[in-house]
Amino acid sequence: MQRVLVLDFGGQYNLLVARRVRECGVYCEIKPYRLSMDEIRAFEPAAIIFTGGPATVFEPDAPQLDPAVFGLGVPILGICYGQQLMIHQLGGACRRADVREYGKVELTHDGASELFSGVEPTSVCWMSHGVEAERLPDGFRAVAKTAGCDFAAIENAKRGLYGVQFHPEVMHTVHGTEIIKNFLFRICRLTPDWSMASYASEAIEECRAKIGSGKVLLALSGGVDSAVAAALLYRAVGKQLTCIFVDHGLLRKNEGDEVETAMRNALGMEIIRVDASERFLSRLAGVTEPERKRKIIGEEFIRVFEAEAKKLGTVDFLAQGTIYPDVVESGLGGESAVIKSHHNVGGLPDHVDFKEIVEPLRRLFKDEVRALGIELGLPEKLVWRQPFPGPGLAIRIIGEITRDKLELLRDADAIFREEVANAGLERSVNQYFAALTNLRSVGVMGDERTYDYCVALRAVETQDFMTADWSRLPYELLDKVSRRIVGEVKHVNRVVYDITSKPPATVEWE
Ligand code: XMP
């Protein structure tokens, strides 16, 4: 399989670069720009892409590359900082731009570069830079410009070196994907050979080779990632895998049973399900502070898992459902800033004996994990579930958690989900759920005055969950959900819809 190497200079869009390349059917990995020449050669890249980055190329500590990279004979595409670096290191010059270009800008190409083959002569691209090229290195020519930038795209076609000042990976660049495809297929002459079917068989082989006859232990959380990791490992090593499903009693309606049944029926796999709800709920009694809830649940999850794991004795491998954005965002794979903090349940157990960790999904994006799940035979319903936070319904009940409130919220949430599905919006709304506020208000039902709970509905559209917009759900849908919740769920007399985006709000209410 041919591979593209994405050298990361810390740009905010680095993950998008990798996604776009993979969406074109070409496998790629993001690595820090500090990779040595030996490591770059060992990767055997069929092409290299330099990402953007926040540094200023002519300042003393700006990231540089070993110039030998330009002599590898491998085509290179430099994006933003990547283009400036190419210019700077090959004998051209860059300077601070008089006017910072930011946002959507009209780009015109000269019709003579392979990079723009099939692209309209003038189209919109996404710019974000304060430095620009002043003089190109020998052998380079400008192939596209904007009103504020004469070197919006450059090439030295003979040496296979290309640069763009704009960001083709950002969806606002109207022909971005075509430009990336032109680079991959016309310039580098790659073939799109990255598919989930081929990945699945390779990953299964890889796990088999690594695990041998060893024993593997995996904690199922009820989420998509750990379920797909389990399916993959089960295909690789069968009964050498033991899955422990810690049911903290904070899952959605019927969710625990659905996960268990899916693993059994679709894969023929046995799992150990521990009903730990009593333990979790008693530790959570009286707790109202959101971060404290998270901490208790994280700790308790690990403790229950450890207690169960102990019964199995020593295992050789501990498996985790880590996915690619976790690896890159936590600063391990690339240069980009550490973003995630509280979004994982608990961390690693310290009292489980294991020799090594296996993370069979660590090179996959979320949508690839889903495709892999389908490839491995997991039901669509399980694989396409919306994201669900590790601490579960605990952070959707404002204030103290009780069994009664959990029951109430589960019923309200199930109605909302059912109606979103009936409206055919399951996949276009990225996350939607009910939260139970700790507000009680006056209502009237029949001839009686009521004083009951207020349920909040939340639905968002987002690509990365770091920013999100509230979904413009149809009024008829909201009306139906509201009527059903108040009619069918006892002790709810009011339903509100959350119309705040993130930021300033978050997706969850706690
Ligand atoms: P927020 O509320 O931070 O949520 O806007 C962004 C995404 O992360 C999920 N989320 C969590 N996931 N543990 C998790 O595993 C957590 O503590 C947690 N908090 C939020 C949230 O559901 C949304 O998808």
Side-chain angles (χ1 to χ4, degrees):
M1 187 175 61
Q2 299 158 311
R3 312 199 292 175
V4 171
L5 176 61
V6 177
L7 284 182
D8 180 4
F9 289 90
Q12 55 181 321
Y13 306 124
N14 67 356
L15 272 178
L16 277 182
V17 174
R19 274 190 74 119
R20 295 288 170 260
V21 172
R22 290 204 198 166
E23 277 163 12
C24 294
V26 174
Y27 184 71
C28 70
E29 282 185 36
I30 307 174
K31 301 276 185 189
Y33 74 88
R34 288 196 186 85
L35 230 53
S36 69
M37 279 313 293
D38 283 346
E39 286 166 318
I40 292 179
R41 283 193 196 94
F43 188 88
E44 296 183 2
I48 302 178
I49 297 178
F50 303 161
T51 73
T56 303
V57 76
F58 43 77
E59 283 186 350
D61 293 331
Q64 302 268 320
L65 289 172
D66 184 332
V69 75
F70 298 104
L72 282 175
V74 173
I76 299 177
L77 173 66
I79 298 174
C80 196
Y81 183 84
Q83 163 175 298
Q84 293 157 13
L85 186 74
M86 194 182 269
I87 293 170
H88 182 77
Q89 289 204 257
L90 291 174
C94 295
R95 65 168 175 220
R96 220 167 275 285
D98 297 332
V99 186
R100 220 181 107 83
E101 259 187 320
Y102 183 80
K104 291 181 186 175
V105 177
E106 261 196 3
L107 173 96
T108 305
H109 70 89
D110 68 3
S113 171
E114 290 257 64
L115 203 54
F116 291 92
S117 179
V119 173
E120 288 166 49
T122 297
S123 61
V124 169
C125 72
W126 182 258
M127 282 282 193
S128 171
H129 69 112
V131 171
E132 63 182 14
E134 183 176 21
R135 177 169 41 82
L136 295 184
D138 288 346
F140 277 79
R141 63 184 204 92
V143 299
K145 60 181 178 179
T146 66
C149 177
D150 286 340
F151 304 104
I154 61 168
E155 70 173 25
N156 179 337
K158 226 176 178 174
R159 291 182 67 185
L161 303 178
Y162 295 78
V164 289
Q165 182 54 69
F166 59 93
H167 289 272
E169 71 278 21
V170 171
M171 87 192 164
H172 303 302
T173 297
V174 176
H175 294 291
T177 302
E178 278 153 272
I179 294 165
I180 291 171
K181 277 189 176 163
N182 283 338
F183 175 68
L184 298 173
F185 303 131
R186 288 183 168 267
I187 293 165
C188 307
R189 309 221 167 266
L190 301 178
T191 35
D193 58 2
W194 160 249
S195 70
M196 267 311 128
S198 65
Y199 178 80
S201 49
E202 266 172 41
I204 288 169
E205 280 315 313
E206 225 173 87
C207 288
R208 265 188 204 140
K210 178 163 182 177
I211 295 164
S213 57
K215 278 209 284 185
V216 192
L217 182 62
L218 173 87
L220 279 178
S221 65
V224 176
D225 300 340
S226 58
V228 175
L232 183 77
L233 286 163
Y234 189 68
R235 281 278 288 276
V237 299
K239 290 195 176 348
Q240 287 161 248
L241 170 71
T242 306
C243 288
I244 299 177
F245 176 23
V246 178
D247 185 348
H248 49 24
L250 303 163
L251 295 171
R252 286 167 292 196
K253 193 166 183 166
N254 300 331
E255 194 162 31
D257 292 346
E258 279 169 18
V259 170
E260 188 176 351
T261 314
M263 300 314 260
R264 284 225 166 91
N265 294 356
L267 304 173
M269 199 174 125
E270 281 308 314
I271 63 176
I272 301 174
R273 178 168 170 188
V274 192
D275 178 0
S277 55
E278 203 51 63
R279 218 175 133 153
F280 278 86
L281 290 184
S282 62
R283 275 214 60 197
L284 286 167
V287 178
T288 54
E289 213 272 308
E291 284 308 301
R292 180 103 193 90
K293 287 182 182 173
R294 280 199 171 80
K295 200 149 184 288
I296 290 175
I297 293 164
E299 279 168 15
E300 211 51 30
F301 191 93
I302 297 286
R303 297 289 93 82
V304 174
F305 178 65
E306 281 175 349
E308 233 17 73
K310 251 195 195 118
K311 298 182 191 159
L312 304 168
T314 306
V315 293
D316 302 283
F317 297 90
L318 182 73
Q320 293 215 309
T322 319
I323 70 172
Y324 203 45
D326 301 331
V327 178
V328 177
E329 282 176 14
S330 61
L332 300 175
E335 273 300 307
S336 299
V338 176
I339 297 165
K340 292 223 170 152
S341 58
H342 65 272
H343 283 182
N344 278 327
V345 181
L348 275 182
D350 12 270
H351 299 105
V352 175
D353 279 335
F354 65 91
K355 294 183 202 137
E356 235 182 294
I357 290 194
V358 261
E359 294 176 314
L361 311 179
R362 64 180 281 122
R363 292 189 309 231
L364 300 183
F365 287 109
K366 188 82 184 186
D367 47 349
E368 294 173 329
V369 170
R370 290 202 160 110
L372 178 64
I374 300 288
E375 187 65 41
L376 292 167
L378 287 176
E380 292 235 349
K381 197 167 168 231
L382 182 101
V383 163
W384 275 101
R385 267 176 318 152
Q386 47 169 325
F388 185 62
L393 300 182
I395 55 165
R396 292 182 181 170
I397 293 176
I398 314 302
E400 189 181 1
I401 302 151
T402 63
R403 275 196 191 271
D404 289 346
K405 286 186 183 176
L406 275 166
E407 187 93 345
L408 186 160
L409 179 58
R410 275 196 188 105
D411 289 342
D413 181 69
I415 292 173
F416 187 28
R417 285 191 288 141
E418 191 184 319
E419 291 302 337
V420 170
N422 287 344
L425 295 173
E426 254 177 323
R427 293 211 187 162
S428 53
V429 184
N430 302 101
Q431 197 169 3
Y432 50 97
F433 54 87
L436 180 59
T437 72
N438 53 356
L439 174 85
R440 296 173 81 191
S441 69
V442 174
V444 55
M445 263 187 199
D447 288 331
E448 280 183 39
R449 178 186 184 276
T450 57
Y451 185 59
D452 271 328
Y453 283 109
C454 169
V455 162
L457 304 176
R458 180 74 162 142
V460 295
E461 274 150 48
T462 171
Q463 284 206 322
D464 52 17
F465 293 91
M466 289 181 221
T467 61
D469 197 7
W470 60 278
S471 289
R472 272 53 171 178
L473 292 183
Y475 279 174
E476 304 73 50
L477 169 61
L478 290 169
D479 180 51
K480 192 161 186 197
V481 175
S482 162
R483 281 171 197 277
R484 279 196 60 195
I485 290 178
V486 174
E488 295 172 36
V489 185
K490 272 207 186 109
H491 300 299
V492 179
N493 65 356
R494 196 176 290 270
V495 176
V496 296
Y497 187 48
D498 180 350
I499 52 165
T500 21
S501 59
K502 171 183 177 177
T506 53
V507 175
E508 301 291 344
W509 272 41
E510 284 201 335

